[in-house]
Each structure stands twice: as C-alpha cells, then as structure tokens.
Amino acid sequence: MDRGLHFTICVVTAVLLLRESSQAGEEKDPEVLAAPKSDSRGGAEGLPTLTVTTILEDPYVMVRGAELEGYCMDLLAALAGMLRFQYRVKVVGDGQYGAVAAGGNWTGMIGEILRREADIAVAPLTVTSAREEVVSFTTPFLQTGIGILLRKDTTSQDMSFFHFLSPFSKETWTALLFAYLLTCFCLFLVARLSPCEWNEPKNEENHFTFLNSLWFGAGALALQGATPRPQALSVRVIAVVWWLFTLALLAAYIANFTALLSAGSEQLPIQTFEDLVKQRNLEFGTLEGSSTFYYFKNSKNPIHQMIYEYMEKRREHVLVKTYQEAVQRVMDSNYAFIGESISQDLAAARHCNLIRAPEVIGARGFGIATTQASPWTKPLSIAVLKLRESGDLDYLRNKWWESSCLRQSRDRWGPLEPPALGGLFLTLGIGLALGVLAALAELSSSSRRVAAHAKKSCCSVFTEEICTRLRIKGTARQSQEPSGKANA
C-alpha cells in the first residue's frame, strides 16, 4: 500500500511539473502579448476565457511596450465588460487576414479560427461571402469601402501660368472682349452724333476719339476714373450701363477666383478608379490576398477587371504584404494604394502629404469572426449594436482617427503661390516693356525731327535727348555755370 501511495504522489508531482512548464512556455511565446484584461467587478474567477486572434495594424492594434492598444483593444475591453468574459490576445502567426491558399486551406486569422487556435478574431477583418461560408461574423462595428491613397505631390495638377484666367471660360472671355469693343464703339459713335459733346464740329475737336473711348472703357474695367469725362446725357447713359456691367463682372470674377485658389489643393487629376487606369505615371496595387484583391477579381465591371489584370500581371511588384509597407511605398515612390477607405483616412490624417481620392466603391464592414457553431456570435452582435446606439463606437472612431495635421486649415487659406499669379506678373511685365518701347519710339520720332531741322546726326540727337532726360541735375548745373560766369 505504501508503494501505491508513493507511486500516486510521483504521478501527481510529474503532472504538476509538466503543467507549470507548459504555462511557462506559453508566457515565453512571442506571438502572445499582454493585453488589458476585462474590467469585470466582483472577481474574475469562474468567467470564461476566450483566445482572441488579431493583426498588428495602426490604429486597430498597436504594440506599446509590453501591451497592446488601439481601437480593437478598446472595443474588446468594452465587449468583455458587457458580456463578462476574460480574454487572451495573440497576434496572427502568418500576418494575414485570411484567404484560401493553393491547397484549399485558409490562411491568416480565418485559418486560426477554423483550426480552433482562436475563439474569435477582433481586427479590421472585412465581412465577405467567401469568409462567411466558413466562419460566422457579428454585426459590423465599422463601415468602410475601397478607396485610392495617393501622395499629394504626385497627384497635384501643375497650376497654369495663366491661372488668373481660369474663373471664366474661353467663351466668356470672348464675349467680354466683344462687349468691350462694342461699348467703346457706341461711346465713340454717340459722342460724335450728340451736339452736347461739341458745338462746332468743323472748328472744335471731339475728345471722344475711338482711342480715348477704348481708354475710357478700360478704366471702367479697372474701377478707375478715366478721361475724357462724358458731358452729353446719351454718352453718360452708356457709361453708367458699362460701369454697372463691369462692377457685376468683377464681383463674379473675384468670387470665382477666390474659390479656385482655396480649392486648388483638392483638384486631383485622379478622382475615380477610371482615372487611375487611364494614367501612366503611377503604379497601383493592394494587399496580397486581401478582400480588396478578390473584389476586383470577381467584379464584372470592365474598369475593375482592368485593375485586376494590371495587378495580376505585376503581382510581384505592385502587391504589398502589410498595410504599413503600402503607406510607406506611397510616401516614397510613385505608387497608389488601393485599400480600405477608413484605413486610408487614418493615413491621410497622420501623414499630411497623403490624400484619399474622392471615389469609394464596394461598401463593406469590419466584423468580429467566430466559429460557425460558436455561442458567442449573437451576444457579440447585440453588444456591438448597443455600443453603436450609445455612441461608444463613434467615440472610439474619433479617439483613434484624430488628425495630427494641425496645419491643414492654415494651408487651405495660406498665402498664394507664385504660379497662381504668374500670368498677371507676366502681363504686367509685358505692359511695362511695351510702355518703355513706346516712349523710346516717341523719343526717336522727336529726335528725327530735331535732327532734320538742325541738320545733325539722328543718333547724336537721340543720345543727347536721352542724356538730358536721365541727367536732369547735371544738365541744370551745366546751364547754371555759364550764366554765373556771365554775371561775374
């Protein structure tokens, strides 16, 4: 009997040692990380413990020291508090979300649930029909779609040198020129016909010549007074109508020009997936084995088929392994990433040089995956709905998607860049050059007349005239010295 008791004690001791060694091995497992336990008051003894598989992706699950944090961790803690369970979090071994491999087996988090390595998957896992056939999903806790993530400097349109002409179309500018010439001609004609502008046509000169009429109309366009001033009632009526027209025209121009300048950064050449296919400057791809890739594979849309064929032919080059790799590649090269729009919104909020294209397709949701016979599916769905109705999901969304681009509002209404007004500066320069050339032409004409009268060389007279006009003080001194000597 003593031998039997001794044998029993040895067996119990061996079992206890093996159990302690297995627990120590689990603690040293690199795939198992510490996570915040459920805040269940009244003691944790007797509560069920669930093994949760997840994937590292900012801001859903992130490693901070020895613990995990993020949107999914906060969601998991809230669900554990509502349904009273404990949980053990492990990061998926292959780093995949879940797709069918070549042998027919599932990879990623879906595969771990099917192999009973995890009870539930709490991650940005898209609900798809293929996944729904092998696992069960709860009510989606986040709604998303498929978007295009771009770098701003690779998508911004080169601002036209004559961007100041953009507020009006070519037809509008043509009509404006026609209205200007017609109005000036009417001013000239009415001023000629009206007796109030001149009393003796044979002896007096009418100031409203056609050139003066053009100058008067241009002055009104610039909101500046110009001579000659109209005296006849008929001419004043035409002038007042033209002033009202130019006032309304300038108001429309300033409003449109301001809108164009403030929205210049939002005018992307790639607005849709069709624009992405047509361009040749950017490569584009998505996560390998993701639901986005299979969405384009199964889509009957011709544009989507072209996107899938492009990614399939360049599979080794355009498909990325992780979301972090995709964001980094967009920032470092001419690459456009096709993926979940909600994750792209986060990338654009964290990296101020990134932007998401407006079009979003394939509306879908992120759900919690469980085994098909799991008793946790319905309670988890109800808990997610309660969190949505109470506003907790919106709170978590705002908490983890907060933008760090504090200068975005300042950039929107910041100082104007030179290219936006380059055409105006060019026009001013051309006008100044023409004015100088006209002055030189007038001086040359005057010099020729003086040279002919004094029988001197035209070049010498022209040079003397220029020197006289550019050296006024020196000329004055030279003229004063002889007079001073004469007086002495």
Side-chain angles (χ1 to χ4, degrees):
M1 184 174 180
D2 293 338
R3 293 180 178 178
L5 180 62
H6 180 71
F7 178 75
T8 302
I9 293 174
C10 292
V11 170
V12 172
T13 304
V15 170
L16 291 176
L17 290 175
L18 290 174
R19 188 173 182 181
E20 290 179 359
S21 62
S22 63
Q23 291 177 354
E26 289 180 356
E27 291 178 357
K28 296 179 181 180
D29 189 354
E31 294 184 357
V32 179
L33 292 91
K37 297 300 185 292
S38 58
D39 186 15
S40 54
R41 300 177 182 177
E45 297 181 359
L47 297 181
T49 301
L50 300 181
T51 300
V52 181
T53 180
T54 188
I55 191 170
L56 295 178
E57 181 176 331
D58 186 13
Y60 302 99
V61 180
M62 300 172 290
V63 179
R64 291 293 183 269
E67 293 188 351
L68 296 175
E69 68 175 15
Y71 178 92
C72 289
M73 292 298 98
D74 289 352
L75 174 63
L76 184 59
L79 294 175
M82 295 175 65
L83 301 179
R84 298 187 60 78
F85 65 83
Q86 300 182 89
Y87 54 89
R88 170 179 168 271
V89 181
K90 64 185 296 291
V91 178
V92 60
D94 57 5
Q96 301 292 323
Y97 290 87
V100 181
N105 298 323
W106 281 82
T107 62
M109 292 177 282
I110 301 297
E112 290 189 351
I113 291 178
L114 293 177
R115 294 189 297 269
R116 304 288 179 173
E117 297 175 7
D119 298 310
I120 61 175
V122 182
L125 191 61
T126 306
V127 180
T128 64
S129 58
R131 292 171 179 172
E132 190 73 48
E133 290 179 356
V134 294
V135 298
S136 295
F137 280 97
T138 64
T139 301
F141 55 85
L142 269 180
Q143 298 293 333
T144 183
I146 300 177
I148 308 171
L149 184 65
L150 308 158
R151 197 172 74 245
K152 288 182 180 179
D153 57 357
T154 60
T155 60
S156 59
Q157 290 178 321
D158 294 334
M159 193 167 290
S160 172
F161 201 61
F162 291 94
H163 189 64
F164 71 97
L165 299 177
S166 300
F168 293 157
S169 63
K170 295 180 180 179
E171 294 77 8
T172 304
W173 285 114
T174 304
L176 175 60
L177 179 60
F178 178 77
Y180 167 69
L181 294 176
L182 180 62
T183 303
C184 294
F185 178 76
C186 290
L187 283 172
F188 166 73
L189 182 61
V190 172
R192 286 280 175 174
L193 297 177
S194 175
C196 296
E197 286 297 330
W198 53 0
N199 296 323
E200 299 180 7
K202 294 182 180 181
N203 300 327
E204 293 184 3
E205 181 182 358
N206 191 298
H207 296 290
F208 263 100
T209 63
F210 187 69
L211 291 179
N212 286 343
S213 299
L214 291 176
W215 178 248
F216 182 87
L221 280 173
L223 297 181
Q224 301 294 325
T227 54
R229 300 184 183 276
Q231 299 178 2
L233 178 62
S234 56
V235 181
R236 290 181 178 180
V237 169
I238 295 178
V240 169
V241 171
W242 177 244
W243 289 339
L244 293 176
F245 174 80
T246 55
L247 184 64
L249 186 74
L250 288 174
Y253 175 86
I254 293 173
N256 289 346
F257 194 40
T258 304
L260 285 175
L261 291 175
S262 63
S265 60
E266 300 175 359
Q267 294 178 351
L268 300 176
I270 299 178
Q271 300 279 340
T272 64
F273 285 89
E274 184 176 358
D275 297 334
L276 183 64
V277 173
K278 290 180 178 179
Q279 59 83 36
R280 294 293 180 268
N281 297 326
L282 298 178
E283 296 179 325
F284 53 88
T286 186
L287 291 175
E288 184 177 4
S290 64
S291 60
T292 301
F293 179 80
Y294 289 100
Y295 173 84
F296 288 100
K297 180 180 180 180
N298 300 325
S299 177
K300 304 301 181 182
N301 189 305
I303 300 298
H304 300 170
Q305 280 296 308
M306 293 174 64
I307 294 176
Y308 168 73
E309 292 173 1
Y310 174 89
M311 294 190 297
E312 183 64 27
K313 290 179 181 178
R314 299 165 178 80
R315 189 183 189 95
E316 299 297 329
H317 187 59
V318 300
L319 297 184
V320 293
K321 302 294 184 182
T322 63
Y323 177 77
Q324 290 77 11
E325 178 187 351
V327 173
Q328 192 64 38
R329 187 168 177 181
V330 173
M331 296 177 62
D332 296 340
S333 62
N334 292 335
Y335 180 78
F337 174 62
I338 302 174
E340 301 293 345
S341 61
I342 192 170
S343 301
Q344 294 174 350
D345 290 338
L346 174 70
R350 299 287 174 83
H351 306 282
C352 301
N353 61 333
L354 300 182
I355 190 171
R356 179 176 62 82
E359 185 181 30
V360 176
I361 61 174
R364 55 184 65 187
F366 292 153
I368 300 174
T370 65
T371 57
Q372 289 187 333
S374 174
W376 292 97
T377 305
K378 187 173 182 180
L380 286 172
S381 294
I382 297 175
V384 168
L385 289 175
K386 289 182 178 179
L387 291 175
R388 179 181 297 171
E389 293 170 354
S390 63
D392 291 338
L393 293 184
D394 294 333
Y395 168 76
L396 293 179
R397 173 73 164 78
N398 297 330
K399 173 185 176 181
W400 292 104
W401 268 259
E402 183 180 3
S403 175
S404 61
C405 298
L406 300 179
R407 69 173 186 272
Q408 281 184 344
S409 59
R410 296 196 298 269
D411 291 342
R412 182 180 177 91
W413 304 104
L416 299 180
E417 297 296 332
L421 303 176
L424 286 176
F425 285 105
L426 178 62
T427 304
L428 177 61
I430 293 175
L432 295 177
L434 290 177
V436 173
L437 291 176
L440 293 176
E442 293 172 353
L443 184 59
S444 175
S445 177
S446 176
S447 300
R448 282 197 298 269
R449 291 194 301 268
V450 173
H453 181 72
K455 297 182 180 181
K456 293 182 179 181
S457 172
C458 181
C459 293
S460 62
V461 174
F462 183 77
T463 305
E464 291 176 1
E465 292 289 337
I466 291 181
C467 294
T468 302
R469 284 162 175 76
L470 296 181
R471 299 176 183 177
I472 299 175
K473 294 182 179 180
T475 304
R477 292 196 188 113
Q478 292 177 2
S479 62
Q480 289 175 0
E481 288 178 358
S483 62
K485 293 179 180 179
N487 295 331

